[in-house]
Amino acid sequence: WAVVPLDHDGLTLDGEAADDCARDAFDEGASVALFEIPTVDVGLAWLDRLLALGRHVGFSPAAGELDPDDWAHQAKRLLDAGVRVVGGGPGTTHGHLAALSGLLRANERQSLWPRAV
């Protein structure tokens, strides 16, 4: 996994574009590029370019001032857009992740991971 923070423009701390960074990470052997993003809109703005790489890309949106339910609905926007990996970015608490879990359970989404037998 490669975990990389992005700014509001979708650039790394070194000024590299998200898709170039992901491509480099995959070339170096990463199986997932997970971007820590300040807002869900940053991830959505880059999503088509990142998905075009044909690899697993995920986002960890910051919670900031969002309460857990609002954050969960924002994170779900990423999943609805095609993201397969979502994590908790800066400020995210257990409450935020529990709200996302409850929201997804209510929608009966298929898990990426197989059930243990």
Side-chain angles (χ1 to χ4, degrees), residues 1 32 34 56-60 79 82-87 112-113:
W1 287 51
V32 175
L34 182 69
H56 291 295
V57 175
F59 294 105
S60 292
L79 295 168
V83 173
R84 298 292 291 169
V85 179
V86 174
L112 179 63
W113 310 110

Side-chain angles (χ1 to χ4, degrees), residues 74-112:
Q74 289 295 308
K76 187 176 177 304
R77 290 177 55 206
L78 293 168
L79 295 168
D80 291 342
V83 173
R84 298 292 291 169
V85 179
V86 174
T92 306
T93 67
H94 289 94
H96 292 87
L97 297 176
L100 179 59
S101 176
L103 182 62
L104 296 179
R105 201 170 309 118
N107 289 324
E108 298 182 24
R109 294 183 69 88
Q110 176 93 17
S111 174
L112 179 63

Side-chain angles (χ1 to χ4, degrees), residues 44-78:
L44 292 172
W46 282 90
L47 187 58
D48 288 339
R49 289 172 65 175
L50 291 167
L51 291 179
L53 298 174
R55 305 291 293 272
H56 291 295
V57 175
F59 294 105
S60 292
E65 300 293 319
L66 294 175
D67 72 34
D69 289 330
D70 290 340
W71 180 87
H73 281 91
Q74 289 295 308
K76 187 176 177 304
R77 290 177 55 206
L78 293 168

Side-chain angles (χ1 to χ4, degrees), residues 4-13 15-23 26 33-60 77-78 81-83:
V4 181
L6 296 180
D7 65 14
H8 284 278
D9 295 321
L11 302 175
T12 67
L13 298 175
E16 186 177 20
D19 55 341
D20 290 335
C21 177
R23 191 175 298 105
F26 295 138
L34 182 69
F35 293 100
E36 293 180 342
I37 52 177
T39 67
V40 166
D41 290 332
V42 170
L44 292 172
W46 282 90
L47 187 58
D48 288 339
R49 289 172 65 175
L50 291 167
L51 291 179
L53 298 174
R55 305 291 293 272
H56 291 295
V57 175
F59 294 105
S60 292
R77 290 177 55 206
L78 293 168
V83 173

